[in-house]
Amino acid sequence: MDPDVAPRAIVAGHGALPGGLVSAVEQITGRGNALIPFSNVGLGRAEIESGLRDLLALHGVNVVFTDLPGGSATFAARRVQHDTPGLIVVTGVSLAALMDFVFCDAEMPAGESTARAVEKGRAAIASVAI
Amino acid sequence: MPIALYRIDDRLIHGQVVVGWGQPLDLGFILLVDDAVAESDWEQELYRLGVPPSMDVYFASTSEAAREIAKYASDRRTGMVLTGTVEAMLQLARTAVLPIKAVNVGGIHHREDRTQKMRYVFLTKGEEQDLRSMAELGVVVTAQDVPSAPSHSLEELLLGCMT
């Protein structure tokens, strides 16, 4: 982990996926510190929401990536967003999207860097047949 | 068509409900029974965005659901009734105009006043008693988070089988 890379987003979702995605970003880019993983394992609705609020406050970030659009982490993030002006929630997170995000200039407005990440994530999905 | 599943899940609508159960049951609708959500247009909109276009979500307070359950049970599509608490499901079981035959305990997560019974079920003493009361009404209470997982009886759940 590069100690000079500051946290910029939370990656929230099911099971070991958030930690796995952040681990993969670190392995490939060395910028895993830019992402804080948060798993919903064992947590109820209120605890997921309060856990997200705590992490956002602790790290001073304004972006949450989540996995399933209809998942508990997304619902919790959207509830936090409801009373947190400026918070951006990106659903359907992937490794491709996160890698683009961590390479964006940290000074770039979050709306712009997340929009780029969404496009990269979409573009990385392909079905290959021989 | 009778309601396919009555589920208690403190996360309400989420991945296990929409995908885990929704796909194998071919759910056409979810009736979300929660007094707070029934009063919040914003929360309702949030949950509607979380389900696929092929699935409808209806919202009702516990008393509304008890009165109108027959309307949902006569829907031609497969439906699920979902509450976030044991208390709400017990109230429904006691007051619904149609009898509830079975209840699935799908997820009640850790809280300071709860004791762990299974990987995905933590209960207060009051919730344990409410589940027993449900059983005394003739409701078959089982615990099962996803369809592919084993189903556990109320006795196993209360003993704490930890799977």
Side-chain angles (χ1 to χ4, degrees):
Chain A
M1 295 269 185
D2 183 342
D4 292 331
V5 175
R8 292 173 55 198
I10 292 165
V11 181
H14 294 79
L17 182 66
L21 282 169
V22 174
S23 166
V25 169
E26 171 61 20
Q27 183 185 341
I28 297 168
T29 70
R31 297 183 179 213
N33 275 356
L35 304 168
I36 309 298
F38 178 66
S39 171
N40 68 358
V41 169
L43 302 179
R45 191 168 36 139
E47 289 172 302
I48 298 170
E49 183 177 331
S50 65
L52 275 178
R53 287 185 189 280
D54 290 348
L55 284 178
L56 287 164
L58 178 65
H59 296 286
V61 300
N62 62 349
V63 176
V64 179
F65 289 96
T66 66
D67 50 8
L68 271 184
S72 56
T74 302
F75 285 131
R78 293 290 310 278
R79 274 192 210 93
V80 176
Q81 188 181 41
H82 192 55
D83 58 24
T84 309
L87 181 66
I88 295 173
V89 178
V90 181
T91 66
V93 68
S94 69
L95 182 55
L98 290 178
M99 286 202 305
D100 189 80
F101 179 77
V102 300
F103 274 123
C104 277
D105 185 338
E107 300 303 315
M108 182 184 285
E112 204 174 314
S113 55
T114 53
R116 274 187 44 160
V118 167
E119 287 309 309
K120 289 288 182 182
R122 279 202 188 106
I125 299 172
S127 173
V128 179
I130 297 175
Chain B
M1 184 176 292
I3 301 294
L5 191 71
Y6 287 84
R7 178 176 172 96
I8 303 167
D9 191 324
D10 63 5
R11 289 181 180 175
L12 298 177
I13 290 175
H14 66 114
Q16 280 183 359
V17 169
V18 175
V19 182
W21 288 93
Q23 291 200 352
L25 290 177
D26 192 24
L27 281 183
F29 72 91
I30 295 170
L31 174 60
L32 198 166
V33 181
D34 185 283
D35 291 353
V37 176
E39 290 188 355
S40 168
D41 291 341
W42 184 83
E43 287 265 344
Q44 292 177 23
E45 185 57 27
L46 180 63
Y47 285 116
R48 281 196 186 95
L49 291 172
V51 301
S54 59
M55 195 182 289
D56 282 321
V57 186
Y58 304 115
F59 302 91
S61 66
T62 314
S63 56
E64 286 166 348
R67 280 196 310 271
E68 297 175 8
I69 195 70
K71 178 180 83 179
Y72 296 101
S74 65
D75 196 296
R76 295 170 72 175
R77 300 166 298 168
T78 306
M80 174 193 289
V81 173
L82 183 62
T83 71
T85 65
V86 178
E87 185 185 8
M89 190 61 85
L90 175 59
Q91 189 183 334
L92 205 53
R94 280 179 170 152
T95 58
V97 295
L98 290 180
I100 296 176
K101 293 178 180 170
V103 164
N104 159 246
V105 180
I108 303 172
H109 292 86
H110 174 266
R111 214 172 62 187
E112 273 193 13
D113 56 344
R114 285 179 174 148
T115 302
Q116 184 165 18
K117 297 296 180 183
M118 299 177 63
R119 175 173 48 79
Y120 53 89
V121 181
F122 297 68
L123 298 171
T124 65
K125 289 292 179 194
E127 287 166 336
E128 286 188 33
Q129 184 51 52
D130 283 351
L131 288 173
R132 287 195 183 94
S133 299
M134 227 179 277
E136 287 166 10
L137 292 171
V139 179
V140 177
V141 179
T142 57
Q144 186 178 15
D145 56 349
V146 290
S148 57
S151 170
H152 297 284
S153 67
L154 178 59
E155 291 71 28
E156 290 173 322
L157 165 60
L158 296 181
L159 279 172
C161 61
M162 293 295 183
T163 57

